[in-house]
Amino acid sequence: MQRANEQLLACMVELTPLLAVALFSELDKGRVFYREVFLPRLEEATLSMVRDIYGAQAPPDDDLDIVVEAMLGVHFGVALDNLMRGRPVDVPKVAARLSELITLPPSERPGEPA
C-alpha cells in the first residue's frame, strides 16, 4: 500500500504544476489538458496501484472510476496544496501516513469503540 501511494503521489506531484497552469488559465484549454494528458496518467497510475495491492485482475470499470476519483482527491489535494504554499512534498513520508490512514483497523478508527 505504501509503495503504491508513493507511486501515485509522485505522479501527482510531477503533474500538478502543469495541471495548475492549465486549470488556472483558460478553462477550455484546462479541460483539454485534463482529459487528454492528466487523466490518462492518473488512471494508469491508479490502475497500477490497485494491481499492486489487489493482484493482476483489474477491477470493474465502475469501481476503478471511483478509486480514480478518490485518489485524485487525496493525492492531488496534497500535491496542489503544497505547490500553492511553495513547499516540497516528502513523498515517502506522506505516502506512509496516507497508507496508515487508509488501512486503519476498525478498532483504531476515530469515534469507534476499541
Side-chain angles (χ1 to χ4, degrees), residues 2-58:
Q2 182 173 338
R3 193 180 97 210
N5 272 304
E6 283 183 29
Q7 291 172 342
L8 191 54
L9 185 57
C11 175
M12 201 63 66
V13 168
E14 175 189 334
L15 290 174
T16 296
L18 298 172
L19 182 62
V21 169
L23 289 176
F24 298 120
S25 63
E26 295 180 32
L27 184 58
D28 288 339
K29 289 181 182 179
R31 285 181 176 153
V32 169
F33 178 84
Y34 180 83
R35 286 191 306 259
E36 294 180 6
V37 177
F38 183 79
L39 194 55
R41 288 279 309 270
L42 175 64
E43 288 173 341
E44 178 183 315
T46 302
L47 185 56
S48 174
M49 183 184 95
V50 169
R51 285 185 173 148
D52 283 350
I53 296 169
Y54 298 106
Q57 183 176 353

